[in-house]
Amino acid sequence: MKKYLVIGNPIDHSLSPKLHNYWIKKNKIDAIYEKKLLIKSDLKKIILKLKLGEIDGINVTVPFKNSVIPYIDELSVEAKKTQSVNTIYRKNDKIIGHNTDIAGFELGLRHFKYNVLGKKVLILGAGGVVPSIIFALKKMKASHIILSNRTKLKAENIKKIFPGIEIIDWGKTGEFDMIINATSIGLKSDDEIKLNYNDFGKNKFFYDVIYNPKDTNFLRKAKELGNEIENGKMMFIYQAHQAFAIWHKIFPEIDNETIKLLDD
Ligand code: ATR
C-alpha cells in the first residue's frame, strides 16, 4: 500500500486527508493519506523516508513550505520562483518539490469564471501563500498587482521576487477590481479587517483565501454592499487535485459531492 502524508504545524485542522482519501477510495487505489505533526528539525528525516520509498508523496503546509527546500533535490519552476513547496514526490530516485497552490488559485478562479485579464488586483497580506497568488495573477495577465501588509518589510521582500508589483501602506486601499484577503484575519469568526467598505463602490470581486469559516466578515460585508464574493475552498480543492494527479497519474472528478465533503 502506498503512503502519502501532509506535514505541518499545526496540522489537526487539515482537510487534505479527507479529500485525498475520498479520491483514493473512489478510484480504487491501494493507498492511504495521513497527517503528521512535525517540528522543523524533523524535516530532513521525513524527506529521507520519501527517498527510501517508505513514503510515496508529501504535501507540505504551514509553516514548512519554505523551510523544506534545503532537503529537496530539484524544484519545479513554480516552486523555485515562489520559494514555496507544497507537493513533494520521487522521480528517478530524486526528490522533486513542486508548488500546486499556483495552479490551485488559477483553476479556482476559472471555476468561478472570473477573468483576471486586465484587472487591477489588491492583495492584503504577505504570508507564505502570497507569492503563489502573485505568480498565478501574473500568468493570468492581471494589469496591476498591489500589495499591502501590516509589516511592510515582508511586502518589500515579495517585491524583490516580483519587481512589477506596487506596495501600499497597510490601511490604504486605492482603486481595484479584485481584492484578496491573504491574511489570517478571519480564521476566528469575530476577526475583522478594518476597511472602508463603503468607499469601494459595487461590483468588485472580494476573494478570501480562508475557507473555514466559509464566510468571513470580509466576505459578508462585501456581499451586503453588492459585491461578488468567493472563498478559498476551490483553490484548496484544485491544489489537492494537482498533487493527486502528480502522484497517482489520475485527475479525479471534482463533483458536488467532492465540494460538499469539505463543508461537514
Ligand atoms: P503564513 O503562515 O501563511 O506564512 P503568516 O506569515 O503568519 O502566514 O501571514 C499571515 C498574514 O496575516 C501576514 O501578512 C500578517 O501580517 P504581518 O506580516 O504584519 O504579521 C497578517 N496578519 C495576521 N494578523 C494580522 C492583524 N491582526 N492585522 C494585520 N495583519 C495581520
Side-chain angles (χ1 to χ4, degrees), residues 62-63 125-129 149-151 154 170 182-185:
V62 176
V129 76
N149 193 51
R150 179 181 59 180
T151 310
K154 274 166 81 176
W170 181 245
T183 73
S184 45
I185 311 171

Coordinates of all heavy atoms in Angstrom, one line a residue, residues 62-63 125-129 149-151 154 170 182-185, ligand 1:
V62 N 1.6 25.0 6.2 CA 2.2 26.0 7.1 C 2.8 25.3 8.3 O 2.2 24.4 8.9 CB 1.1 27.0 7.6 CG1 1.6 27.9 8.6 CG2 0.5 27.7 6.3
P63 N 4.0 25.6 8.8 CA 4.9 26.7 8.3 C 6.1 26.2 7.5 O 7.2 26.9 7.5 CB 5.3 27.3 9.6 CG 5.5 26.1 10.5 CD 4.5 25.1 10.1
G125 N -1.9 41.2 2.9 CA -1.1 40.1 3.5 C 0.1 39.8 2.7 O 0.2 40.1 1.5
A126 N 1.1 39.3 3.4 CA 2.4 38.9 2.7 C 2.9 37.6 3.3 O 4.1 37.4 3.3 CB 3.4 40.1 2.9
G127 N 2.0 36.7 3.6 CA 2.4 35.4 4.2 C 2.8 34.5 3.1 O 2.9 34.8 1.9
G128 N 3.0 33.2 3.5 CA 3.6 32.2 2.6 C 2.9 31.9 1.3 O 3.5 31.6 0.3
V129 N 1.5 32.2 1.3 CA 0.8 31.8 0.1 C 0.8 33.0 -1.0 O 0.5 32.8 -2.2 CB -0.7 31.4 0.4 CG1 -1.5 32.7 0.8 CG2 -1.3 30.6 -0.7
N149 N 0.6 45.1 3.4 CA 0.8 44.2 4.6 C 1.2 45.1 5.8 O 1.8 46.1 5.7 CB 1.9 43.2 4.3 CG 1.9 42.1 5.3 OD1 0.9 41.5 5.6 ND2 3.1 41.9 6.0
R150 N 0.6 44.6 7.0 CA 0.9 45.3 8.2 C 2.4 45.5 8.4 O 2.9 46.6 8.7 CB 0.3 44.5 9.4 CG 0.5 45.1 10.7 CD -0.1 44.2 11.8 NE 0.5 42.9 11.8 CZ 0.1 41.9 12.6 NH1 -0.9 42.1 13.5 NH2 0.6 40.7 12.5
T151 N 3.2 44.5 8.2 CA 4.6 44.6 8.3 C 5.2 44.8 6.9 O 5.3 43.9 6.1 CB 5.2 43.3 8.9 OG1 4.5 42.9 10.1 CG2 6.7 43.4 9.2
K154 N 7.9 42.7 4.9 CA 7.5 41.4 4.3 C 7.0 41.6 2.9 O 7.3 40.8 2.0 CB 6.5 40.6 5.1 CG 7.2 39.8 6.2 CD 6.3 39.3 7.3 CE 5.5 38.1 6.9 NZ 4.6 37.6 8.0
W170 N -0.4 49.7 4.9 CA -1.5 48.9 5.5 C -2.5 49.9 5.9 O -2.2 51.0 6.5 CB -0.9 48.1 6.7 CG -2.0 47.3 7.4 CD1 -2.4 47.5 8.6 CD2 -2.6 46.2 6.9 NE1 -3.3 46.5 8.9 CE2 -3.5 45.7 7.9 CE3 -2.6 45.5 5.6 CZ2 -4.3 44.6 7.7 CZ3 -3.4 44.4 5.4 CH2 -4.3 44.0 6.5
A182 N -5.4 37.6 2.0 CA -4.5 36.6 2.2 C -3.8 36.7 3.6 O -2.8 36.1 3.8 CB -3.4 36.6 1.1
T183 N -4.5 37.4 4.5 CA -4.0 37.5 5.9 C -4.7 36.3 6.6 O -5.6 35.7 6.1 CB -4.4 38.8 6.6 OG1 -5.8 38.8 6.8 CG2 -4.0 40.0 5.7
S184 N -4.3 36.2 7.9 CA -5.0 35.2 8.7 C -6.2 35.8 9.4 O -6.8 35.1 10.2 CB -4.0 34.5 9.7 OG -3.3 35.5 10.3
I185 N -6.5 37.1 9.1 CA -7.7 37.7 9.8 C -9.0 37.2 9.2 O -9.2 37.3 8.0 CB -7.6 39.3 9.6 CG1 -6.2 39.8 9.9 CG2 -8.7 39.9 10.5 CD1 -6.1 41.3 9.5
Ligands
ATR1 P1 1.8 32.1 6.6 O1 1.9 31.1 7.7 O2 0.8 31.8 5.5 O3 3.1 32.5 6.0 P2 1.8 34.3 8.1 O4 3.2 34.6 7.6 O5 1.5 34.1 9.5 O6 1.1 33.2 7.3 O7 1.0 35.5 7.5 C1 -0.2 35.9 8.0 C2 -0.6 37.2 7.3 O8 -1.7 37.8 8.1 C3 0.6 38.2 7.4 O9 0.5 39.0 6.2 C4 0.2 39.0 8.6 O10 0.8 40.3 8.7 P3 2.2 40.6 9.3 O11 3.2 40.2 8.2 O12 2.3 42.0 9.6 O13 2.3 39.7 10.5 C5 -1.3 39.1 8.5 N1 -1.9 39.4 9.8 C6 -2.2 38.5 10.8 N2 -2.8 39.1 11.8 C7 -3.0 40.4 11.4 C8 -3.6 41.5 12.1 N3 -4.2 41.4 13.2 N4 -3.5 42.7 11.4 C9 -2.9 42.8 10.2 N5 -2.4 41.7 9.5 C10 -2.4 40.6 10.1

